[in-house]
Amino acid sequence: ILKEKEFKKYVVNSNAVKFIEATGKFISQIGINPGDNIEKIDANMGSMAFQAKRNSDGAIGFVSSGHVFYSNADVYRNNTYVGTVDKSTVGGNIDASFILLHDYPNNYTTNLIGGVNNLSTLTSLPGVGTTINIRGAYTQASGKILDTNVIIENEDGTTLYNLTSATYPAIKGDSGGIIYSYVSASNTRYTVGVHVGLKNSVTYYCKANNVLSALGLSRY
């Protein structure tokens, strides 16, 4: 009642404005876009790549880095719990994880890169020399593909193969970020891959098709 009186006194007093008492508790809603920062409880940060659903049952979630978000780890967005890692793989031809959304649809994902440009659910395998783009927690940039069939060995001895190397810049925290290509003729931004890391000034990503196949997922 007090707030209603203050509103009428200091804002407007009109029969066109009706006051209705809300019922139920407040529910926060967290939206996560391709390229947004996500975190673990230990403050290690990664980036969201793209939304996906589990083929076995249609469960909703999103893809990120495997070396940052290991199996069963809780995942946060700006200190709010948004999901738990359902599956994580660092080896073979992917470094990626699938994170199941908690409290969907109050927590939800989009296909808007950085909340702005639409990311197509169509995947693409661009060749050497093609311009590609990264959107991560810290980096929004472009570069060119150097090689589409690279083998690298991580510091822990894990070998990854069939990665793509490129010249786009990236830093720690961008791991898991979306790699996409843009075709101006159709105004289409294709889902290309998931950023893995940087070695000797060369950046690497794993192909989106390999991630979807290995983790049993589909884009939507």
Side-chain angles (χ1 to χ4, degrees), residues 81-208:
Y81 171 62
V82 293
T84 299
V85 177
D86 175 63
K87 187 180 294 186
S88 179
T89 299
V90 181
N93 57 13
I94 73 166
D95 177 340
S97 61
F98 176 60
I99 299 162
L100 277 175
L101 276 174
H102 164 71
D103 197 24
Y104 174 81
N106 289 316
N107 293 324
Y108 62 95
T109 56
T110 80
N111 277 316
L112 295 176
I113 302 169
V116 180
N117 295 312
N118 187 65
L119 176 67
S120 174
T121 58
L122 298 175
T123 60
S124 178
L125 295 167
V128 172
T130 303
T131 297
I132 52 168
N133 309 278
I134 180 174
R135 179 66 183 251
Y138 295 106
T139 305
Q140 180 179 359
S142 62
K144 292 188 180 298
I145 291 177
L146 299 173
D147 194 329
T148 60
N149 191 20
V150 180
I151 298 174
I152 64 171
E153 184 174 327
N154 292 327
E155 293 179 356
D156 63 1
T158 304
T159 298
L160 297 171
Y161 64 86
N162 196 218
L163 298 188
T164 297
S165 60
T167 64
Y168 62 82
I171 64 175
K172 184 178 180 180
D174 290 325
S175 293
I178 179 64
I179 306 298
Y180 66 97
S181 61
Y182 177 60
V183 177
S184 58
S186 59
N187 192 30
T188 304
R189 294 169 177 82
Y190 290 96
T191 301
V192 169
V194 179
H195 174 63
V196 172
L198 171 73
K199 187 175 184 179
N200 298 327
S201 299
V202 175
T203 41
Y204 299 87
Y205 69 84
C206 51
K207 299 173 178 66

